[in-house]
Amino acid sequence: MAKLPLGAQTLFIGIDGGGTKCRASIMTEDLQVLGTGVGGPANPFQGVQQAKDSIRTAAELALIDAGLPISGMGELIAGAGLAGVNVPSLFDVMSAWDHPFKEMHLTTDLHIACLGAHNSDEGAVMICGTGSCGYSFVNNQPLFIGGHGFPIGDKGSGAWMGLEAIQAVLLASDDLGPRTIMSESIGDFLQAKGMMIVDKMFGARQGDYAKFAIFVVDAADEGDAVAINIVKEGAAYMSGVARKLWATSPGRMSIIGGLAPRLIPWMDKDMADNLSPVLYQPEFGAVYFAKQALKAAKNNNDPLSATL
């Protein structure tokens, strides 16, 4: 196997695997990023083989970006946080994978997001992007809130807002609901109205609905009553999540995701004021987790026992 041309230092790869994409970054022990690659969906709940392929693709692209040989993947120590492995059977399947790395230390995507956000073993994090959920890790105890998946869950998320917006626009088109400026913005985006919107959205997925969230928050900022109601409901839910997480005394609490900056002003002020900026991205949290796992292994501890 080809050696990585960087001397005797240990190289890590942090893997953040979600339902939309997988992001991997190769780092030195002191967290200097050498290269980053992005692959496809890596939530094994949506397909185990797809998750494995996406991880491998992201790792290969990270090696190329770092100017390192792909054949040296077997020298990397991986920390991997994947969506879906909070389901015990999927954790077992991914743990049993004959992966291409020297070592792979597995946990959930929420855990690495939390570790990265606070650069610490403890903290709380909320995700408000395409989906939504909350997580805290305090005194070696994890707490998961939400994350039930779209469309039955993920309230306050971009996908949830998009679905609410489409429903409101269709009600308005039938004169069964109040008028909203979202009818024009979403209609222009889709180049459709009325039943043509239904036709356009046939078979739409979570990410497709999330594209409409920007129209909702923009309309709310312009004073549109329908949009305001949607945003307020979503913000109230995320405020409730924050309140439950803060009750675990995490020390620090952060919110991440593309929708987060637009939703924070609508959240309960006391919870918004308790939010701290993210220190590092999830890939850094994955490497942090891998380094902690190596330290625990030297002490004959099981580094995974407290992560799920």
Side-chain angles (χ1 to χ4, degrees), residues 34-122:
L34 303 179
T36 297
V38 178
N43 181 343
F45 190 80
Q46 300 171 354
V48 171
Q49 189 58 49
Q50 180 186 57
K52 294 176 180 179
D53 292 343
S54 295
I55 292 170
R56 188 184 294 271
T57 296
E60 289 178 352
L61 292 174
L63 283 163
I64 292 170
D65 188 46
L68 299 172
I70 293 177
S71 56
M73 192 181 301
E75 293 185 54
L76 299 174
I77 295 177
L82 306 182
V85 298
N86 56 309
V87 178
S89 61
L90 293 175
F91 181 85
D92 292 342
V93 167
M94 293 304 296
S95 294
W97 177 29
D98 185 20
H99 58 78
F101 308 109
K102 183 177 182 179
E103 298 179 25
M104 188 179 78
H105 302 280
L106 179 66
T107 186
T108 67
D109 58 336
L110 281 172
H111 191 58
I112 65 166
C114 191
L115 293 173
H118 310 298
N119 195 30
S120 169
D121 292 327
E122 293 193 348

